[in-house]
Amino acid sequence: MGLVSINIKTGSVDKSDEVVVGIDLGTTNSLVAFMENGRPKAITGEDGKHTLVPSIIHFDEHYGIVVGDQARKKLVADPTNTIYSVKRLMGKSYNDVADRNGFFGYKIIDDDTESLVKIRVQDRYYTPVELSAAILGELKKRAEKALGKKVEKAVVTVPAYFNDAQRQATRDAGKLAGLDVLRIVNEPTAASLAYGIDAEGYDKQVIAVYDLGGGTFDISILQIEDGIFEVLATNGNTFLGGDDFDHAIVEHWLATELRDVDMADAATVQSIRIAAENAKKQLTTSETFETDIAGRKIQLTRSNFNSLIARLVGQTIDCCKNALADAKIGADQIDHIVMVGGSTRVPLVKELVRQFFGKDLHDNLDPDEVVALGAAVQADILAGNQKDILLIDVTPLSLGIETVGGLMDVLIPRNSKIPFSAGRQYTTSVDGQKNLKIAVFQGERDLVEHNRKLGEFVLKGIPPMPAGLPKIDIRFMLNADGILKVKAGELRSGTEQEIEIKPSYGISEDDMALMLIQSIQNAQNDLQTRALIEARNEANIIILSADKFISQNGEILSNEEIEQIRKLVGKLSEAVSGQDKDLINSSMEELNTYTTPLAHRAMDFNIGKAIKGTVV
Ligand code: ADP
Ligand code: MG
């Protein structure tokens, strides 16, 4: 297989025969899609019809699992062993979900409130990452069966508002399922791609993606320019979706036709719920619905249904208003409205959204599939099959420079939107230093030796000044093409130097993923190393100034005092050459405590001398 090289501008890699699939890992349903003859296509199960895999996992008494439709059937009969809505728990601590614990029919566990949630199934504990991996594994299997070959690479989508922990959890789930997640893509970005909105041949475009799923609502305002998607604003409600429409119907029937039905009977309750969802779906295409429940004939018309859900749909429109306000954009400035999620099939939803934005909707693709289809388009771009589409929205790895002791100082954090510019001021560490070497690195580790060196240059001609006095400004500018310019200048003298580098050139997504994984695995170690190096740096400065102090204040210090300072300096120097940061810190403390009163005395003496000087 060897290494693949990705050009950061085109996102293209050298071509091979391997497939990269696109996966929508949803709260309610998940699915997998791939590119066939230049068009994205969702992969069906064995029946050849259904593309959706319910995001539900059922455990039997031996901890054997089934995923999807089979698991969905157990939801009512065996709720404690049937896990759904795992996506809501990704990257969350128990604190984050404590107030919603009642929402889940299964057990959510914490060891301590800071740690990530686990789910208890009988006597075992599962993390959301493991459970998501089970769903991804099912999709992988499905894709392999349909395509007749191994599937090992995927693009996986997440909501635009997912934070770093949630994205990382999704990536980890992929790894666990044996999938190399080449990229995590925002769901609204994927949906826009599925509709071919990639600003090819357009000027800047503003897109509203309205996503109403089973249990969640998301509105995202995106801007695309030169192939770069930027999220301007997101809003929504994590507990509002099609399930609430079903619920509204159930409540309505219980208050009318089914007023005297026996609600203690689980089978009846279940059949009412199923009838409600059927009614909702049927009313998408017809004006009336009729069925029998518990020997009673019940019905619902589209206009009944509309009045039941009007308030809920109104809430989604309020979210749209908030998102526009956050993006500082008027509804009339939106160029495209993309409809996503099974619940956008409801005619009232379409009508109210169209009315609000005053524009036609992109709704001719299957709203359940559109995110996965877009992920497949992105996957195809990454596989190098579409040479001309530029698709970079964020920098995949942090960019920074080496500072004293080999520490990485990050100027542009990973996942920053590009273009991006950042600057910071540094100084020299040696008196009279004329040159400063600036080495640029890419990666997440605390020590530059573990990161990837992109280039280095020397800022020459710094006028001689005592250490710490020069003001050296280092500026990183990452442009839309992913090209990094580094500029360094000494502000007092006006000396300047500049270089240009291509950060990701020659680095594969595999390497990037590896670097990220290593940075997470080594985070604890790195933190300790960083603390040690910082303590050493500080100690070295103190040792230097103690030496200076002795040579400048010989006349006011007794021999014993000088000896004691030397002894403490010796002890500190020894600590600096060791590995124990606590010993360095305590030796520093000891030296400081001893010299502070001496420094005060020296200061008084020197001031006294200065005053005498003026009198004479
Ligand atoms: P998620 O993104 O949360 O995984 P989906 O986008 O798959 O969810 O949407 C699932 C929701 O779409 C369910 O509430 C389902 O009842 C609803 N839905 C599916 N088909 C229709 C239809 N024809 N009319 C109305 N609602 C539908
Ligand atoms: Mg969805």
Side-chain angles (χ1 to χ4, degrees):
M1 288 251 290
L3 277 185
V4 275
S5 178
I6 296 187
N7 182 324
I8 195 166
K9 182 165 181 187
T10 60
S12 62
V13 293
D14 54 342
K15 253 179 109 168
S16 65
D17 149 60
E18 61 192 2
V19 266
V20 186
V21 295
I23 292 178
D24 173 6
L25 184 60
T27 312
T28 317
N29 296 303
S30 298
L31 72 156
V32 51
F34 78 113
M35 210 61 155
E36 188 182 57
N37 305 324
R39 297 183 121 246
K41 190 174 169 227
I43 297 175
T44 58
E46 270 162 17
D47 63 358
K49 278 204 308 261
H50 290 100
T51 55
L52 296 186
V53 176
S55 306
I56 303 176
I57 303 143
H58 177 259
F59 288 82
D60 65 24
E61 63 269 38
H62 304 112
Y63 303 100
I65 59 166
V66 289
V67 175
D69 286 312
Q70 292 307 317
R72 189 167 193 255
K73 288 181 187 148
K74 307 282 186 171
L75 214 44
V76 176
D78 191 14
T80 53
N81 292 317
T82 311
I83 316 298
Y84 56 91
S85 280
V86 169
K87 189 174 178 178
R88 294 183 185 278
L89 302 174
M90 288 292 261
K92 294 278 177 83
S93 73
Y94 185 72
N95 270 343
D96 295 331
V97 294
D99 58 329
R100 289 285 181 178
N101 206 351
F103 169 88
F104 303 93
Y106 46 87
K107 278 208 171 89
I108 300 176
I109 301 293
D110 65 312
D111 333 322
D112 76 71
T113 49
E114 286 307 306
S115 63
L116 298 179
V117 296
K118 291 194 183 70
I119 291 128
R120 180 167 176 179
V121 181
Q122 298 159 47
D123 289 328
R124 291 192 188 169
Y125 297 87
Y126 294 89
T127 62
V129 168
E130 291 170 304
L131 296 166
S132 297
I135 299 170
L136 290 172
E138 178 72 21
L139 296 171
K140 177 179 188 293
K141 219 162 63 188
R142 181 181 269 224
E144 288 178 339
K145 198 165 246 174
L147 301 176
K149 55 178 153 186
K150 278 247 163 278
V151 172
E152 278 161 340
K153 296 189 171 186
V155 166
V156 180
T157 59
V158 297
Y161 60 77
F162 254 30
N163 64 25
D164 242 35
Q166 293 168 302
R167 285 167 198 263
Q168 189 55 48
T170 306
R171 225 176 235 287
D172 292 347
K175 265 249 128 64
L176 207 56
L179 284 170
D180 186 3
V181 179
L182 295 190
R183 196 165 288 184
I184 297 282
V185 177
N186 288 333
E187 287 161 14
T189 302
S192 305
L193 277 176
Y195 277 105
I197 309 168
D198 50 35
E200 273 256 85
Y202 299 112
D203 292 336
K204 184 167 84 182
Q205 303 282 300
V206 185
I207 311 161
V209 181
Y210 179 102
D211 181 348
L212 190 59
T216 59
F217 170 64
D218 299 309
I219 172 77
S220 311
I221 310 295
L222 308 180
Q223 175 176 298
I224 174 165
E225 191 173 12
D226 293 333
I228 297 167
F229 281 94
E230 185 179 347
V231 180
L232 298 181
T234 62
N235 206 292
N237 185 335
T238 48
F239 287 90
L240 172 61
D243 300 346
D244 298 289
F245 294 177
D246 305 351
H247 203 76
I249 297 173
V250 171
E251 297 279 291
H252 166 73
W253 282 339
L254 291 181
T256 56
E257 282 116 310
L258 298 176
R259 210 176 308 123
D260 44 1
V261 83
D262 178 14
M263 288 300 287
D265 179 19
T268 310
V269 173
Q270 175 67 351
S271 61
I272 299 174
R273 248 178 42 105
I274 291 171
E277 189 173 1
N278 288 340
K280 173 183 76 175
K281 289 184 179 169
Q282 189 174 317
L283 291 174
T284 288
T285 45
S286 63
E287 289 291 334
T288 57
F289 170 84
E290 258 183 40
T291 192
D292 279 319
I293 291 177
R296 255 157 292 203
K297 210 161 123 138
I298 51 172
Q299 52 177 2
L300 194 70
T301 65
R302 165 132 11 121
S303 74
N304 280 155
F305 175 58
N306 285 352
S307 59
L308 291 176
I309 62 164
R311 194 182 49 85
L312 296 169
V313 184
Q315 285 175 19
T316 70
I317 301 294
D318 291 340
C319 292
C320 294
K321 285 181 191 154
N322 292 336
L324 289 174
D326 286 347
K328 299 191 178 59
I329 251 174
D332 55 332
Q333 285 168 277
I334 299 288
D335 301 299
H336 301 274
I337 303 124
V338 174
M339 300 298 271
V340 181
S343 302
T344 60
R345 290 202 182 84
V346 172
L348 183 71
V349 170
K350 289 194 192 198
E351 191 183 314
L352 294 184
V353 174
R354 193 180 292 122
Q355 227 172 60
F356 175 71
F357 286 104
K359 204 170 249 128
D360 275 345
L361 311 173
H362 287 286
D363 63 354
N364 54 322
L365 292 176
D366 184 326
D368 293 320
E369 295 180 355
V370 59
V371 167
L373 296 178
V377 172
Q378 169 74 73
D380 198 48
I381 296 169
L382 287 176
N385 299 330
Q386 301 193 19
K387 292 286 178 213
D388 44 348
I389 297 183
L390 170 75
L391 241 187
I392 301 159
D393 36 12
V394 294
T395 69
L397 294 168
S398 302
L399 297 164
I401 62 163
E402 175 177 359
T403 59
V404 186
L407 287 180
M408 171 90 174
D409 195 30
V410 170
L411 277 100
I412 301 186
R414 116 188 156 78
N415 280 340
S416 298
K417 284 176 208 149
I418 56 177
F420 194 98
S421 156
R424 198 167 295 163
Q425 279 188 15
Y426 299 87
T427 189
T428 51
S429 52
V430 181
D431 287 343
Q433 188 174 335
K434 284 192 248 143
N435 300 330
L436 182 74
K437 192 177 82 184
I438 294 157
V440 181
F441 286 83
Q442 180 178 42
E444 308 312 309
R445 301 284 297 275
D446 274 347
L447 288 182
V448 293
E449 63 179 279
H450 297 134
N451 290 331
R452 184 167 176 271
K453 189 174 193 169
L454 296 173
E456 67 173 37
F457 66 107
V458 178
L459 176 66
K460 291 193 183 118
I462 304 170
M465 279 183 257
L469 214 57
K471 279 191 178 166
I472 295 160
D473 187 69
I474 298 185
R475 186 149 287 278
F476 274 28
M477 288 155 295
L478 187 59
N479 73 9
D481 296 331
I483 308 290
L484 177 69
K485 260 196 192 145
V486 182
K487 213 177 182 169
E490 202 286 307
L491 298 180
R492 294 179 194 276
S493 60
T495 332
E496 245 184 28
Q497 213 95 43
E498 190 180 304
I499 56 160
E500 208 180 90
I501 19 196
K502 291 192 182 72
S504 275
Y505 185 73
I507 186 169
S508 69
E509 288 271 358
D510 292 6
D511 288 349
M512 282 185 208
L514 193 66
M515 287 169 89
L516 289 176
I517 286 167
Q518 285 173 345
S519 79
I520 290 160
Q521 287 167 345
N522 291 297
Q524 190 65 28
N525 264 341
D526 280 4
L527 219 63
Q528 281 159 6
T529 314
R530 177 179 279 271
L532 176 63
I533 290 173
E534 279 172 353
R536 277 185 189 151
N537 289 344
E538 201 184 333
N540 282 328
I541 292 170
I542 287 183
I543 290 171
L544 278 182
S545 44
D547 288 342
K548 236 187 216 169
F549 181 72
I550 293 175
S551 63
Q552 286 172 355
N553 298 288
E555 49 183 317
I556 60 152
L557 296 171
S558 71
N559 284 342
E560 292 77 47
E561 284 166 343
I562 292 177
E563 203 171 307
Q564 179 64 11
I565 296 175
R566 292 239 160 90
K567 204 178 109 196
L568 293 175
V569 165
K571 188 172 165 197
L572 180 57
S573 303
E574 203 168 304
V576 165
S577 59
Q579 302 292 323
D580 183 352
K581 84 164 186 339
D582 295 333
L583 184 63
I584 299 175
N585 284 326
S586 63
S587 309
M588 237 182 329
E589 186 70 38
E590 214 178 332
L591 177 60
N592 260 334
T593 313
Y594 185 73
T595 52
T596 303
L598 302 182
H600 283 290
R601 195 203 304 158
M603 200 150 75
D604 291 345
F605 177 80
N606 288 327
I607 291 171
K609 210 162 69 169
I611 292 171
K612 272 188 217 139
T614 54
V615 170
V616 171

